[in-house]
Amino acid sequence: MSRTPPRRTALRGLAAAGTAVIGFDPFTRSWAVTASDRPLHGIPELDGTLHTDEASLSAAADDFGHIVHRRPAAVLRPGSVADVVAMVRFCNKHGIPVAPRGQGHGTNGQAQAEGGLVIETAPLAAVQPVGPGSKTVTVGAGAKWSDVAKASLAHGLTPPVFTDYLELSVGGTLSVGGLGGQTHRHGAQVDNVLELEVVTGAGELLRCSPDRHRDLFHAVLAGLGQCAVIVGATVRLVRAPVTVRHYLLPYDDLRTFLDDQRLLVLEQRFSYVEGQITADASGAFREYVLEAVAYGPPAGEAPDDTALLRGLRHNPSGAEITDLAYYEFLDRLAPGVAALKEAGLWAYAHPWLNLLLPGGRTADVAGGILDALTPDDLGPGGVVLLYPLVRDRLRTPLLRMPDDPVPYLFAVLRTTPPDDAATVERLLAANRSAYDRVRAAGGTRYPVGSVPFDGADWRRHFGPAWPQLAAARKTYDPRGILVPGQGIF
Ligand SMILES: Cc1cc2nc3c(=O)[nH]c(=O)nc-3n(C[C@H](O)[C@H](O)[C@H](O)COP(=O)(O)OP(=O)(O)OC[C@H]3O[C@@H](n4cnc5c(N)ncnc54)[C@H](O)[C@@H]3O)c2cc1C
């Protein structure tokens, strides 16, 4: 039988790793190296599969941002955790960059690895059995939060904190933090992890927790993939409500809106608090909607509108109050996402701006950024979020927070046609100047979006946590192969 010689994948230079890979040959199962064109034999036998076809490589060179495109040499669909260990060891030995990819919902190439190996974690999605009295659930890193919610809800249980969108991987959100409307009560998703199973950059499979390899545990949670690939996580469970009452409360003044949000999270009156800002008919971003949710039994008491809304200064005639099944509430973005996909807007570029502001400066800093924002610069289907967190619930060292008891998450979730490179560039520059303004006011960024950032920016970003991250990187990923797309090391 004759076979066509495989086309060698053309790859550009690698900055992060010591050895520049120029191609992977799927038939001889070897990588060729720029310096000597010496093939690297010995790709391990795998339970899963290694892919070098056009479709797999192009998919791994794209993400939800549709802005950055770095092509890997190969994509691993692991059949087991052992595959991750074997391939990370191989890549470590040869200095080949590696990036785990969950659902690819980063917006700036964070899960890409030019000339390297992308490990799709989706096959590692097992959710261990949950029983009625379980206090935790152990899940594969590739599981989506929707899978985890469904498995635990079958027993009346739930993880305490969710991102707004459920179709993100557990490994992906634990690498960044995982913030949502429940964070003011329970911290971020990373604050609700009891143990992790990880493969370090040196290819060692380890369990880590606050009591075991503590340095690694704290370097992996919100650690942007720099020290290890998460393959499994044990997450806290709490009792789930059967139904929730969902409130949308309109405001016409930014300071009143912020003050009421702050009051609600300090009093912990609701189980969930967020907020959105939209443009009025003139295009000015000054329509504010406070979104709050009260959990019903058995997680909370039957919602009492009078008590819950006491003293709030919203416009009562515009309030919308709805009872929803708990999962329907968690999955509330699903119909909107389906509509965005239908309209082709999911495939637009997403130069997202995600910031964390000190509460005391939120009105003036967010207000200033909103004053300059136009509907065109937000784009069709774009969203502005502004909601408070409670600082003392956020305990993960690498999830950097402003020094303020009630910081605010401020997100300008932009969409713009992906082929209009000039507009994308302009919006990225606008993101950077917004970040500079926020940093000068004592804020920081939530590193999921697209803010042009260099190594010095990252060192400043991590601040007092930098030595810990740098030391863990040296220990656990000594050749520096993991997750070059973050641009940290
Ligand atoms: C529509 C939408 C809604 C969102 N809503 C929220 C929200 O409400 N709250 C919030 O906090 N965030 C939100 N995000 C941001 C989201 O949490 C992050 O972008 C997250 O990293 C995406 O998860 P993912 O599985 O797609 O990760 P990917 O994009 O695949 O990966 C993100 C980064 O994590 C690394 N990584 C992935 N898996 C692993 C692993 N197993 N081990 C180590 N590193 C890994 C990757 O290499 C990459 O650097 C949202 C994003 C989108 C697109």
Side-chain angles (χ1 to χ4, degrees):
M1 192 181 91
S2 72
R3 65 182 187 192
T4 323
R7 192 169 62 85
R8 194 152 268 173
T9 321
L11 300 163
R12 282 175 289 281
L14 288 171
T19 309
V21 173
I22 59 164
F24 173 74
D25 181 332
F27 291 122
T28 61
R29 294 169 71 74
S30 61
W31 305 68
V33 184
T34 37
S36 58
D37 206 23
R38 171 176 55 86
L40 301 176
H41 294 295
I43 301 266
E45 288 302 319
L46 299 170
D47 299 321
T49 45
L50 210 48
H51 298 260
T52 56
D53 60 285
E54 177 57 34
S56 301
L57 299 185
S58 327
D62 195 13
D63 55 32
F64 183 73
H66 308 300
I67 297 170
V68 173
H69 300 285
R70 298 191 195 102
R71 211 173 150 82
V75 172
L76 172 67
R77 297 199 179 119
S80 60
V81 166
D83 281 359
V84 179
V85 172
M87 283 309 300
V88 172
R89 280 189 186 163
F90 178 84
C91 290
N92 178 56
K93 183 169 167 201
H94 298 292
I96 296 166
V98 174
R101 174 186 169 100
Q103 288 297 310
H105 280 67
T107 65
N108 205 35
Q110 290 95 331
Q112 298 177 23
E114 179 138 20
L117 179 71
V118 167
I119 301 176
E120 289 183 358
T121 62
L124 305 176
V127 178
Q128 298 301 321
V130 178
S134 299
K135 301 252 182 299
T136 63
V137 59
T138 298
V139 303
K144 293 186 286 182
W145 285 100
S146 55
D147 304 326
V148 184
K150 285 176 198 155
S152 46
L153 272 176
H155 299 280
L157 299 166
T158 179
V161 185
F162 285 93
T163 49
D164 295 343
Y165 184 49
L166 296 185
E167 309 309 322
L168 306 168
S169 77
V170 169
T173 72
L174 295 186
S175 299
V176 295
L179 301 173
Q182 302 94 346
T183 293
H184 74 274
R185 278 187 178 237
H186 298 286
Q189 288 178 325
V190 282
D191 296 307
N192 292 279
V193 175
L194 283 88
E195 187 179 71
L196 293 171
E197 188 175 27
V198 305
V199 177
T200 68
E204 203 179 352
L205 179 64
L206 291 174
R207 283 182 189 281
C208 56
S209 70
D211 307 318
R212 201 169 171 187
H213 301 296
R214 184 186 167 83
D215 61 332
L216 180 60
F217 186 67
H218 288 306
V220 172
L221 291 174
L224 306 175
Q226 299 302 298
C227 296
V229 178
I230 303 170
V231 290
T234 301
V235 177
R236 196 161 77 88
L237 293 177
V238 295
R239 278 206 290 183
V242 176
T243 59
V244 306
R245 187 162 293 174
H246 182 258
Y247 298 79
L248 292 174
L249 310 174
Y251 287 76
D252 54 19
D253 174 66
L254 176 60
R255 282 183 195 273
T256 312
F257 166 73
L258 294 173
D259 287 349
D260 278 4
Q261 281 185 318
R262 182 185 162 87
L263 172 88
L264 292 184
V265 300
L266 288 176
E267 285 189 354
Q268 303 209 353
R269 224 190 264 190
F270 287 90
S271 304
Y272 164 107
V273 174
E274 290 201 5
Q276 284 196 24
I277 303 170
T278 50
D280 64 14
S282 76
F285 282 82
R286 54 186 174 209
E287 292 186 346
Y288 315 94
V289 176
L290 191 157
E291 183 187 26
V293 173
Y295 287 3
E301 291 165 12
D304 170 352
D305 292 348
T306 310
L308 287 165
L309 301 179
R310 183 175 300 123
L312 298 184
R313 290 162 295 166
H314 60 285
N315 169 7
S317 66
E320 290 175 33
I321 303 176
T322 328
D323 287 328
L324 299 170
Y326 177 58
Y327 190 80
E328 196 187 349
F329 155 64
L330 292 181
D331 201 29
R332 64 201 174 279
L333 293 197
V337 168
L340 290 172
K341 286 184 177 169
E342 179 75 28
L345 296 173
W346 204 249
Y348 266 34
H350 294 100
W352 280 11
L353 174 64
N354 304 69
L355 301 166
L356 291 159
L357 313 181
R361 298 292 310 275
T362 296
D364 68 307
V365 176
I369 293 170
L370 288 167
D371 284 346
L373 185 66
T374 65
D376 277 351
D377 284 355
L378 184 61
V383 172
V384 178
L385 296 176
L386 184 57
Y387 64 86
L389 313 170
V390 170
R391 181 72 187 85
D392 69 12
R393 302 288 152 131
L394 294 153
R395 294 174 302 274
T396 299
L398 293 183
L399 179 54
R400 305 308 299 155
M401 282 287 151
D403 184 15
D404 186 292
V406 184
Y408 278 71
L409 177 91
F410 179 45
V412 181
L413 307 179
R414 309 177 192 269
T415 68
T416 192
D419 44 8
D420 182 355
T423 300
V424 170
E425 280 307 313
R426 185 173 59 73
L427 295 175
L428 292 176
N431 286 355
R432 176 67 206 206
S433 59
Y435 165 75
D436 287 337
R437 194 162 172 178
V438 164
R439 198 172 80 80
T444 185
R445 65 180 287 217
Y446 179 44
V448 298
S450 301
V451 175
F453 234 52
D454 64 19
D457 290 320
W458 280 116
R459 281 192 289 284
R460 265 194 303 272
H461 169 82
F462 284 109
W466 174 257
Q468 175 205 338
L469 178 62
R473 170 86 163 186
K474 220 167 148 188
T475 306
Y476 295 106
D477 182 17
R479 291 202 68 178
I481 61 168
L482 289 179
V483 188
Q486 297 282 4
I488 297 175
F489 288 97

